[in-house]
Amino acid sequence: MGILRVVAAAALVLALTGCASKFKSYDGPEVTRIVVHKSARVMYLMHHDQVLTRHRIDLGFAPEGAKRAEGDGRTPEGRYYIDRRNPRSRYYLSLGISYPNARDIQVARAAGASPGGDIFIHGKASPFPWAREDWTWGCIAVTNREMRDIYAMVKLGTPIDIYP
């Protein structure tokens, strides 16, 4: 009976340690803005005009041009905000981007389409054997290691500017 308790306690400690490693804390300068340059495949976390971190990114599988409709494989362009956090994301961790905005909805409706939604900054599902450059459906993807840092650093309401 004593060995069973020791094994159970060890399993609990290992499980909690594994969960804790996914979530980091951050006490550095506030991320006041996220800047994405799609053509350069780069994302910056900014504190005003100071670059805090730089990340190589993957985009939607059709990266040229702004997102116009659901399923087009494009990453949106424009100013959005981080509007939700998903600690149980299929893609490790994720931060929701406030796409679509009123203009995105108007453009899609004018074309007789739905604008879609569920655009995120996220990590990669594991295992992810078929992942290649620009593999998402319009999201911004980074490594899981980077996503742990980004998830800790970025707060809800942070603006994100996505440029061509």
Side-chain angles (χ1 to χ4, degrees):
M1 188 70 151
I3 291 177
L4 184 58
R5 283 187 181 174
V6 170
V7 170
L12 180 61
V13 167
L14 288 174
L16 291 175
T17 303
C19 291
S21 67
K22 186 173 179 177
F23 301 101
K24 297 177 82 172
S25 60
Y26 175 74
D27 62 359
E30 177 186 8
V31 175
T32 58
R33 180 175 168 224
I34 302 168
V35 176
V36 173
H37 293 282
K38 289 171 47 174
S39 61
R41 303 298 189 279
V42 66
M43 177 174 70
Y44 300 97
L45 301 189
M46 308 290 295
H47 175 71
H48 302 294
D49 292 333
Q50 175 190 3
V51 174
L52 297 174
T53 62
R54 178 187 186 280
H55 305 275
R56 191 215 164 276
I57 58 172
D58 289 320
L59 300 170
F61 63 82
E64 301 299 319
K67 185 162 196 61
R68 297 285 183 235
E70 184 173 21
D72 67 6
R74 294 182 175 158
T75 302
E77 295 173 1
R79 172 158 276 196
Y80 300 95
Y81 298 88
I82 300 302
D83 65 354
R84 60 204 181 278
R85 300 168 68 81
N86 185 356
R88 294 185 189 103
S89 172
R90 178 176 167 198
Y91 300 99
Y92 193 64
L93 294 169
S94 62
L95 296 172
I97 298 173
S98 64
Y99 175 88
N101 61 28
R103 183 176 183 283
D104 298 319
I105 294 168
Q106 182 181 26
V107 167
R109 284 188 180 156
S114 165
D118 285 340
I119 302 296
F120 290 86
I121 299 170
H122 60 65
K124 294 186 177 184
S126 183
F128 219 92
W130 53 269
R132 63 190 195 312
E133 185 172 287
D134 298 332
W135 55 272
T136 78
W137 282 87
C139 295
I140 298 166
V142 296
T143 68
N144 291 350
R145 180 182 215 175
E146 291 173 307
M147 195 61 219
R148 282 192 297 271
D149 294 334
I150 294 165
Y151 196 84
M153 294 172 75
V154 176
K155 295 181 179 170
L156 291 178
T158 302
I160 177 169
D161 292 310
I162 306 172
Y163 298 105

